[in-house]
């Protein structure tokens, strides 16, 4: 198809999800709820780790980065999905589309690298426990996290520049819930074979490399766990690792399905995109809080502190003389904490 006179597009129209008109309000509320829960769940992890000094460890340092990434990924995509259920809100400017594509791949690539770093951290903690604090010190943690962010930014810059160096004029309707490379390339004028090849090689190489490194780490980890004599020790080690493995699987399966099929379409592409961009960032805090005992306890203590703070405020200092002895001691203890 030849490009028409509208090759200089000013905006795209995001098609979003096909749905019956009667489901417009329920879907709007559903995705809005998912977005709020994603922000709330990940923010709760950040606050719990920041508040609890026992969690100031490399594992939870990387988990905070992961929670922040999930909040940002959800914020890049889901608000536009929610707005798409309102009349006349499916448009996104050309520059906005480019920005959305850049930040989505920037955050996604960084998250993939961060999963690999977290697997390496667990490998050192379980397989080399005596040298763990030497190998994974504060400076190393910062360098690994910064390296993941920088490589993610570089990778996304290359992908975005290659995508938007093309001219666009084959309509302006993006068959996706957000501006992603496969959907945007369908509207490009000229041959997109190079872009599809680069996307396949780049994302494929990154995903496969990270996945193999994670797999190698967990082969060593499982081998070391099986040599632990204590049943309780094995249980705790497996419990810590299962959460990370679960999150990795929910991340890589949709990624492979979407990006490692260049130039092809599948009826499930839209469903997988929804799961990948909206549901997965919500699952991460749920998985880590449900599977990790330390995080659960920290979240519960955070809730108790907040509740105690509210109760303490309700008792002014001048009214202590009016309280019974047991209540007075309890208020002092709450306020001092």
């Amino acid at each position: 198809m030849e490009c028409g006179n509208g090759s200089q597009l000013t905006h795209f129209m995001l098609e979003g999800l096909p749905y019956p008109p009667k489901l417009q309000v329920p879907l709007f509320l559903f995705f809005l709820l998912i977005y709020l829960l994603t922000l709330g769940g990940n923010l709760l992890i950040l606050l719990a780790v920041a508040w609890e000094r026992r969690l100031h460890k490399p594992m939870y340092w990387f988990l905070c980065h992961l929670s922040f990434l999930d909040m940002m990924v959800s914020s890049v995509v889901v608000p536009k999905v929610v707005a798409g259920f309102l009349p006349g809100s499916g448009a996104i400017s050309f520059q906005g589309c480019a920005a959305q594509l850049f930040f989505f791949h920037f955050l996604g690539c960084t998250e993939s690298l961060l999963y690999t770093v977290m697997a390496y951290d667990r490998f050192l903690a379980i397989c080399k426990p005596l040298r763990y604090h030497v190998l994974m010190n504060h400076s190393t943690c910062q360098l690994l996290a910064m390296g993941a962010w920088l490589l993610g930014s570089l990778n996304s810059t290359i992908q975005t520049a290659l995508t938007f160096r093309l001219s666009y004029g084959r309509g302006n309707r993006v068959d996706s819930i957000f501006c992603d490379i496969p959907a945007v390339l369908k509207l490009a004028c000229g041959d997109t074979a190079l872009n599809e090849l680069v996307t396949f090689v780049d994302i494929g190489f990154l995903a496969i490399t990270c996945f193999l490194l994670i797999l190698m780490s967990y082969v060593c980890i499982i081998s070391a766990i099986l040599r632990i004599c204590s049943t309780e020790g094995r249980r705790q080690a497996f419990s810590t690792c299962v959460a990370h493995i679960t999150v990795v699987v929910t991340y890589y399966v949709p990624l492979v399905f979407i990006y490692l099929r260049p130039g092809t379409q599948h009826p499930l592409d839209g469903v997988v995109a929804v799961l990948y961009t909206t549901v997965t960032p919500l699952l991460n805090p749920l998985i880590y809080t449900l599977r990790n005992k330390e995080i659960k306890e920290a979240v519960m203590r955070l809730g108790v502190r907040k509740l105690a703070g509210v109760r303490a405020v309700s008792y002014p200092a001048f009214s202590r003389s009016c309280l019974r002895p047991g209540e007075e001691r309890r208020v002092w203890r709450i306020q001092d904490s």
Side-chain angles (χ1 to χ4, degrees):
M1 182 187 299
E2 295 295 332
C3 290
N5 295 329
S7 58
Q8 299 296 325
L9 291 179
T10 59
H11 69 280
F12 292 100
M13 294 296 297
L14 299 175
E15 291 293 289
L17 293 171
Y19 60 91
K22 64 180 181 181
L23 294 181
Q24 181 177 0
V25 174
L27 287 175
F28 172 84
L29 296 175
F30 172 74
F31 282 101
L32 179 61
L33 179 62
I34 284 183
Y35 180 59
L36 295 177
L37 289 176
T38 300
L39 294 185
N42 285 289
L43 183 60
L44 191 62
I45 290 179
L46 290 174
L47 292 176
V49 174
W51 193 282
E52 191 69 39
R53 293 188 62 85
R54 292 194 310 161
L55 300 184
H56 293 180
K57 305 174 184 177
M59 173 182 174
Y60 299 108
W61 163 259
F62 296 128
L63 179 58
C64 285
H65 280 267
L66 179 62
S67 293
F68 181 75
L69 282 168
D70 284 331
M71 292 171 65
M72 294 300 100
V73 168
S74 186
S75 297
V76 166
V77 176
V78 182
K80 199 62 183 175
V81 175
V82 173
F85 294 106
L86 301 176
S89 301
I92 183 171
S93 68
F94 189 90
Q95 294 78 9
C97 184
Q100 189 181 54
L101 189 148
F102 169 79
F103 282 108
F104 177 77
H105 283 273
F106 165 39
L107 298 169
C109 179
T110 304
E111 191 164 346
S112 180
L113 294 169
L114 189 63
Y115 285 133
T116 309
V117 170
M118 294 175 73
Y120 175 66
D121 171 70
R122 292 299 83 204
F123 164 75
L124 292 180
I126 294 175
C127 299
K128 299 182 182 295
L130 299 180
R131 301 184 60 198
Y132 174 71
H133 293 290
V134 176
L135 296 174
M136 192 59 72
N137 54 44
H138 183 68
S139 299
T140 303
C141 291
Q142 287 186 325
L143 287 174
L144 289 173
M146 187 179 300
W149 284 91
L150 289 176
L151 287 175
S153 176
L154 177 62
N155 180 275
S156 182
T157 299
I158 295 172
Q159 291 287 347
T160 305
L162 285 174
T163 301
F164 287 95
R165 70 181 176 84
L166 302 169
S167 59
Y168 289 86
R170 294 184 176 181
N172 67 343
R173 296 192 171 274
V174 178
D175 189 20
S176 179
I177 61 173
F178 70 106
C179 287
D180 198 11
I181 293 176
V184 172
L185 286 181
K186 295 175 185 175
L187 306 178
C189 302
D191 188 9
T192 61
L194 176 62
N195 295 75
E196 293 173 356
L197 178 62
V198 171
T199 301
F200 177 80
V201 172
D202 179 40
I203 297 179
F205 174 78
L206 178 69
I208 291 173
T209 301
C210 290
F211 184 78
L212 288 178
L213 289 174
I214 293 171
L215 183 63
M216 291 170 57
S217 297
Y218 275 98
V219 167
C220 297
I221 287 171
I222 292 172
S223 177
I225 291 175
L226 293 176
R227 292 196 298 268
I228 297 176
C229 299
S230 168
T231 303
E232 180 64 18
R234 287 198 299 268
R235 188 193 66 79
Q236 290 181 355
F238 269 121
S239 178
T240 301
C241 297
V242 163
H244 184 234
I245 293 174
T246 304
V247 170
V248 167
V249 170
T250 60
Y251 176 83
Y252 277 102
V253 170
L255 185 147
V256 170
F257 183 84
I258 293 174
Y259 296 106
L260 299 190
R261 299 180 295 109
T264 61
Q265 289 182 295
H266 194 279
L268 292 177
D269 282 354
V271 177
V272 174
V274 171
L275 294 175
Y276 182 63
T277 57
T278 62
V279 179
T280 299
L282 173 62
L283 290 178
N284 290 349
L286 291 177
I287 291 170
Y288 273 104
T289 52
L290 293 177
R291 298 292 309 182
N292 190 295
K293 182 179 178 181
E294 288 184 314
I295 288 289
K296 282 194 294 186
E297 291 176 350
V299 169
M300 292 177 64
R301 280 193 291 269
L302 179 64
V304 170
R305 286 193 181 101
K306 295 299 182 184
L307 180 60
V310 172
R311 291 175 57 194
V313 171
S314 66
Y315 292 102
F318 64 82
S319 66
R320 284 179 175 175
S321 60
C322 301
L323 299 176
R324 293 192 296 272
E327 292 176 335
E328 183 178 2
R329 288 194 297 272
R330 184 163 60 252
V331 171
W332 288 348
R333 186 164 55 250
I334 289 171
Q335 291 180 336
D336 291 340
S337 64

